[in-house]
Amino acid sequence: MIDLLSSYYGPGYGDPFAGVGAAFGAMIAGLIAIALIPLLIVYVLFSVFYMKLFEKAGVEGKWRAWVPVYREMIFLKLGDVNPWAYLIFVVAGALLTFIWIGTLGLAAGLVLWTMAAIRISQKAKGEPAWAALTVFTGIGSIIWLGIMAFTKDAWNPNVARAGWADNWIGDKSQWSGIPSAYAPQQPGYPQPGYPQPGYAQPSSPQPQNPYGQQAPYGQQPPAAQQGPITPPQPPEAPRPPQEPRPPQV
């Protein structure tokens, strides 16, 4: 019967679901396009903000800000955090999300990213409290990154040494074109803002007393005591000369 209808009305008449499949495919394609537009906008915003932040920090090459994952690792380096540790935690957490270990890995990666954000807030804005905006993931992170990128404050790498600098969390790798807080240097010349172990700052000159002996630091030599000052007396008037007496017999 279907063959007879198809031969009379044309091919495809006997398939009632022929148009439904095409409409469903068009709907799926439209939904994918609608979902990709916000993701594309977020990607462009993050890339522009990363580019401005890297330029301020002295990173060479604007193209680095447009490469996903790689730009996040540069971000970690600017925050004095080991980027490889962050990458291991995030990748392991993403692969093991079906068990509780994966959740711990993602949480550890988030902690490392927050630590780097605190350090970057110190260098870019001079105040670590700005990193509190990153607690509100998504829009909060975009706002924070935009403030750090477009602030008029100069980038200040001479901040206090991170407390985790000497353990596995601290960044000790050297990448070409990317400034590092722990770059190799000549012995005897510590890098500004990051004192090296065993280096003693030169002491300030100590005051000396007037007798040539060095006085203890913080103590001044006692001032010389002086008595009451008496005014000068006028000179005495000259006495009149006396006549010589005659000799006695």
Side-chain angles (χ1 to χ4, degrees), residues 98-196:
F98 57 93
I99 56 178
W100 60 272
I101 298 179
T103 304
L104 293 179
L106 294 177
L110 180 60
V111 170
L112 293 180
W113 197 92
T114 305
M115 294 166 61
I118 293 174
R119 296 287 293 177
I120 290 178
S121 297
Q122 287 181 297
K123 297 179 181 181
K125 195 65 177 174
E127 183 60 47
W130 285 96
L133 289 173
T134 60
V135 175
F136 307 98
T137 57
I139 187 65
S141 299
I142 295 177
I143 294 174
W144 172 83
L145 187 59
I147 294 174
M148 296 300 107
F150 291 94
T151 180
K152 296 182 179 179
D153 300 323
W155 181 266
N156 180 24
N158 301 325
V159 296
R161 186 180 178 89
W164 60 81
D166 297 326
N167 53 37
W168 60 271
I169 302 178
D171 172 48
K172 303 177 182 62
S173 59
Q174 303 297 326
W175 294 2
S176 178
I178 302 173
S180 176
Y182 311 102
Q185 54 188 336
Q186 298 180 0
Y189 295 92
Q191 186 174 358
Y194 297 91
Q196 301 298 321

Side-chain angles (χ1 to χ4, degrees), residues 13-218:
Y13 176 80
D15 188 3
F17 300 101
V20 176
F24 183 76
M27 183 181 66
I28 294 298
L31 293 176
I32 293 176
I34 294 174
L36 288 178
I37 291 176
L39 295 178
L40 182 61
I41 294 175
V42 171
Y43 168 75
V44 171
L45 284 177
F46 268 103
S47 299
V48 173
F49 292 164
Y50 273 129
M51 183 175 61
K52 297 297 294 184
L53 182 66
F54 292 172
E55 182 180 359
K56 180 183 296 186
V59 177
E60 299 178 2
K62 297 181 179 180
W63 59 269
R64 304 176 193 266
W66 297 85
V67 182
V69 181
Y70 178 57
R71 64 186 185 184
E72 277 74 22
M73 298 182 70
I74 296 176
F75 177 88
L76 270 291
K77 285 184 64 65
L78 295 179
D80 304 333
V81 175
N82 188 352
W84 296 108
Y86 171 81
L87 185 63
I88 290 173
F89 279 124
V90 172
V91 172
L95 295 178
L96 301 175
T97 51
F98 57 93
I99 56 178
W100 60 272
I101 298 179
T103 304
L104 293 179
L106 294 177
L110 180 60
V111 170
L112 293 180
W113 197 92
T114 305
M115 294 166 61
I118 293 174
R119 296 287 293 177
I120 290 178
S121 297
Q122 287 181 297
K123 297 179 181 181
K125 195 65 177 174
E127 183 60 47
W130 285 96
L133 289 173
T134 60
V135 175
F136 307 98
T137 57
I139 187 65
S141 299
I142 295 177
I143 294 174
W144 172 83
L145 187 59
I147 294 174
M148 296 300 107
F150 291 94
T151 180
K152 296 182 179 179
D153 300 323
W155 181 266
N156 180 24
N158 301 325
V159 296
R161 186 180 178 89
W164 60 81
D166 297 326
N167 53 37
W168 60 271
I169 302 178
D171 172 48
K172 303 177 182 62
S173 59
Q174 303 297 326
W175 294 2
S176 178
I178 302 173
S180 176
Y182 311 102
Q185 54 188 336
Q186 298 180 0
Y189 295 92
Q191 186 174 358
Y194 297 91
Q196 301 298 321
Y199 176 79
Q201 298 290 341
S203 58
S204 58
Q206 301 178 357
Q208 296 182 356
N209 57 15
Y211 299 99
Q213 298 178 357
Q214 189 172 5
Y217 182 78

